[in-house]
Amino acid sequence: MEDVMDSAVGPHFSGLRLDSRRLSSSSLPSPPSANGNGTAEAAKGFASPKADGTRQPFVIGVSGGTASGKTTVCDMIIQQLHDHRVVLVNQDSFYRGLTEEESEHVQDYNFDHPDAFDTEQLLECMGKLKSGQSVNIPIYDFKNHRRCSESFRKVNASDVIILEGILVFHDQRVRDLMDMKIFVDTDADIRLARRIRRDTVERGRDVTSVLEQYGRFVKPAFDDFVLPSKKYADVIIPKGGDNHVAIDLIVQHIRTKLGQHDLCKIYPNVFVVHSTFQIRGMHTLIRDSNITTPDFVFYSDRLIRLVVEHGLGHLPFTEKQVITPTGSVYMGVDFCKKLCGVSIVRSGESMENALRACCKGIKIGKILIHRVGDNGQQLIYHKLPLDIAERHVLLLDPVLGTGNSANQAIELLIRKGVPEDRIIFLNLISAPEGVHCVCKRFPRLKIVTSEIDGGLNEEYRVIPGLGEYGDRYFGTD
Ligand SMILES: Nc1ncnc2c1ncn2[C@@H]1O[C@H](COP(=O)(O)OP(=O)(O)O)[C@@H](O)[C@H]1O
Ligand SMILES: Nc1ccn([C@@H]2O[C@H](COP(=O)(O)O)[C@@H](O)[C@H]2O)c(=O)n1
Ligand SMILES: [Mg+2]
């Protein structure tokens, strides 16, 4: 048996003409909700730990009609990611081999019907990949309509698995494997033109047979099976590989996931709010250097509310029953009462309103950390609730950079008697360096953030970041 190693980059790429186009629609699975024991359930995908504590790969499904550009879009995503932790699985690999009789009448065979694929085998392979095992995937020969009996493509377990094919959204069991579904939407006439060219050049067909197969099987199956599955898509990409903007957005989304993945693997107490295109849209706005101050405040406040709500989901609660106006008993929960916020002055103060809006009457203390000279010595002023040792503390600072200020603030809280595991540090953006710095020192503290950025530059500023948050929020920049 000949194994063909799949390194996921390079060999899949096909050269394309590219123009900038638009992203048509988007929505991703909803954020996590509180589970029964008072902690938040981790988000789907990267943030979803298995029983053994490791995280499942992120599965992206890519569907669309024949010759819509699915394979091309996947190649471009993988090429742009330039990251070995992404692998591509083609549904084509799971075409059933034809019997002797079927081969003799191949022109009558419907390759576009769901039964043409061995979906059980596909599910088995995907299940193995998802559980961290490598798999041997068949190699399909379109010229002879059969699998190469001696060769397989070895696909290694990876952080991201892209599953591509005309009918990958058809079977619910296959759909359920996916964390993100993309539909490549290209006009039927363009697809037919491409198909004629591809099948005559690459798949050993002549124009007459392509047209006959198209009218008899491909088009009806598109109408019956492929088009109806478009409704399952989270993202629809018009014009396939020509749509630079959509592909960039998707690549950014995956990059964010990959960055988070490693840190969440290392530190189980780091929680990243599940990313949706709404959240990425808000980040796009507040990171834009040209945004106005009112808009910066508006979208920051929206994001902060999400982070605060996520953070509150990590607090313990007690069971509580109430009687509803229908006279029925509602078995609910009671919020944790012993709670306070502490903002790191000045930018942390921008998070206070969102906290107050979520927790009526909450006490909020302040910590000011002032760097003296460049020898790392720092002065700390603080005003904290007197009974802070008995409270859970939501520590507020929108950007976690080096982690130095955060560590000073956390040390102070611990000196004041707050147990480490009762501190939840809330921020909008974290640099990986800051996450390492805080989590190594305080492994029982929780960090809740909305995005993890690339890193710090030589001036210790978060990149891509958003500049001086306090100045931008309070309009002093
Ligand atoms: N944007 C594009 N412009 C021109 N040709 C394209 C474009 N996208 C794909 N093609 C060509 O069209 C054919 C079908 O594309 P492919 O990505 O294989 O589609 P699918 O996987 O959806 O069947 C291929 O020969 C490919 O090179
Ligand atoms: N032996 C085969 C197997 C499949 N086809 C056609 O391939 C199409 C799916 O591949 P795409 O890359 O176009 O998505 C499908 O429409 C089948 O008709 C074939 O012609 N011969
Ligand atoms: Mg293809």
Side-chain angles (χ1 to χ4, degrees):
M1 186 205 300
E2 180 197 329
D3 278 351
V4 183
M5 280 292 286
D6 180 12
S7 64
V9 283
H12 307 294
F13 185 67
S14 32
L16 289 175
R17 298 177 285 108
L18 301 169
D19 307 320
S20 180
R21 293 290 190 275
R22 74 203 144 86
L23 184 72
S24 132
S25 76
S26 64
S27 73
L28 285 171
S30 38
S33 56
N35 68 13
N37 59 14
T39 59
E41 233 177 59
K44 206 177 167 193
F46 280 130
S48 149
K50 291 186 286 182
D52 63 2
T54 59
R55 317 237 159 193
Q56 295 230 341
F58 191 73
V59 180
I60 303 171
V62 180
S63 185
T66 181
S68 56
K70 299 179 296 296
T71 307
T72 306
V73 164
C74 295
D75 287 345
M76 291 173 73
I77 291 174
I78 291 167
Q79 180 79 8
Q80 283 191 30
L81 274 171
H82 200 73
D83 194 309
H84 66 280
R85 291 171 298 177
V86 186
V87 289
L88 178 63
V89 177
N90 307 87
Q91 189 184 27
D92 298 343
S93 307
F94 298 91
Y95 266 119
R96 294 178 194 280
L98 302 192
T99 60
E100 286 288 310
E101 201 189 335
E102 286 166 339
S103 296
E104 278 166 27
H105 306 283
V106 73
Q107 68 282 359
D108 297 326
Y109 192 88
N110 188 349
F111 289 103
D112 292 76
H113 191 276
D115 292 347
F117 296 96
D118 186 345
T119 301
E120 302 303 320
Q121 193 188 9
L122 182 146
L123 284 164
E124 195 190 325
C125 281
M126 288 299 291
K128 281 188 178 161
L129 281 175
K130 279 198 90 161
S131 67
Q133 301 170 53
S134 60
V135 288
N136 284 323
I137 288 185
I139 295 176
Y140 190 72
D141 177 356
F142 284 92
K143 286 187 179 157
N144 298 311
H145 316 284
R146 65 170 71 105
R147 296 173 177 190
C148 304
S149 54
E150 282 151 23
S151 306
F152 290 86
R153 185 168 68 100
K154 185 172 182 192
V155 176
N156 288 321
S158 265
D159 288 342
V160 179
I161 304 167
I162 304 181
L163 174 61
E164 171 266 327
I166 47 171
L167 289 170
V168 290
F169 297 166
H170 175 72
D171 188 311
Q172 192 191 331
R173 295 168 303 165
V174 182
R175 281 201 308 274
D176 287 348
L177 296 169
M178 297 167 187
D179 299 290
M180 182 185 192
K181 299 184 207 71
I182 299 170
F183 190 92
V184 182
D185 206 9
T186 305
D187 289 346
D189 49 0
I190 295 179
R191 290 192 292 105
L192 177 56
R194 285 183 191 162
R195 171 117 179 191
I196 293 170
R197 197 176 51 219
R198 183 193 64 190
D199 285 9
T200 50
V201 174
E202 295 170 21
R203 296 189 180 176
R205 317 285 165 92
D206 58 54
V207 177
T208 312
S209 75
V210 176
L211 290 176
E212 194 176 316
Q213 184 190 7
Y214 191 87
R216 210 169 144 202
F217 298 120
V218 182
K219 185 175 163 23
F222 177 81
D223 293 338
D224 290 348
F225 304 114
V226 184
L227 199 54
S229 73
K230 182 176 163 182
K231 63 175 176 281
Y232 300 115
D234 301 304
V235 182
I236 295 165
I237 308 185
K239 302 180 186 72
D242 286 335
N243 196 329
H244 248 323
V245 175
I247 290 164
D248 282 353
L249 273 169
I250 291 162
V251 167
Q252 278 305 319
H253 187 77
I254 300 168
R255 279 210 183 108
T256 307
K257 293 287 183 184
L258 285 171
Q260 291 165 9
H261 195 187
D262 285 349
L263 283 171
C264 294
K265 254 184 193 164
I266 302 167
Y267 304 115
N269 281 346
V270 174
F271 300 90
V272 183
V273 176
H274 185 67
S275 181
T276 65
F277 281 109
Q278 276 293 312
I279 290 179
R280 287 201 67 76
M282 289 187 258
H283 267 277
T284 309
L285 286 162
I286 64 169
R287 287 163 185 273
D288 185 345
S289 53
N290 292 321
I291 194 175
T292 62
T293 301
D295 280 354
F296 182 86
V297 171
F298 180 85
Y299 290 107
S300 293
D301 285 349
R302 257 186 83 186
L303 273 171
I304 294 166
R305 278 288 283 266
L306 289 174
V307 171
V308 168
E309 289 285 4
H310 192 119
L312 293 172
H314 288 275
L315 293 170
F317 53 73
T318 47
E319 285 180 9
K320 184 182 176 180
Q321 296 177 10
V322 289
I323 307 296
T324 72
T326 64
S328 325
V329 177
Y330 177 80
M331 309 282 284
V333 293
D334 199 7
F335 295 135
C336 166
K337 298 271 176 354
K338 284 288 187 183
L339 179 66
C340 72
V342 171
S343 56
I344 299 182
V345 178
R346 167 175 76 136
S347 51
E349 291 172 302
S350 67
M351 301 174 77
E352 293 179 3
N353 282 345
L355 184 57
R356 284 201 184 90
C358 297
C359 308
K360 220 164 71 183
I362 188 169
K363 282 194 174 174
I364 300 184
K366 292 181 193 287
I367 297 178
L368 170 67
I369 297 164
H370 178 60
R371 190 177 284 273
V372 187
D374 53 9
N375 61 359
Q377 200 190 342
Q378 292 176 329
L379 281 181
I380 302 185
Y381 305 95
H382 60 266
K383 189 163 173 25
L384 302 170
L386 292 175
D387 59 350
I388 194 162
E390 291 152 37
R391 294 174 183 265
H392 288 260
V393 176
L394 295 170
L395 183 62
L396 312 174
D397 195 358
V399 180
L400 169 58
T402 60
N404 289 335
S405 306
N407 276 359
Q408 295 272 325
I410 296 159
E411 257 174 30
L412 176 73
L413 293 175
I414 290 172
R415 277 206 306 279
K416 293 287 173 189
V418 183
E420 188 184 313
D421 60 4
R422 288 210 195 154
I423 303 171
I424 303 176
F425 182 25
L426 305 181
N427 59 67
L428 290 186
I429 294 176
S430 291
E433 292 87 338
V435 173
H436 286 298
C437 179
V438 172
C439 291
K440 270 195 191 135
R441 187 124 164 227
F442 304 108
R444 279 171 292 146
L445 163 143
K446 293 188 179 76
I447 295 181
V448 176
T449 188
S450 63
E451 278 194 357
I452 295 179
D453 272 22
L456 299 176
N457 67 7
E458 54 291 345
E459 289 158 354
Y460 302 106
R461 301 186 78 193
V462 181
I463 300 297
L466 45 58
E468 287 302 321
Y469 188 93
D471 284 340
R472 296 189 71 194
Y473 191 93
F474 296 111
T476 49
D477 52 347

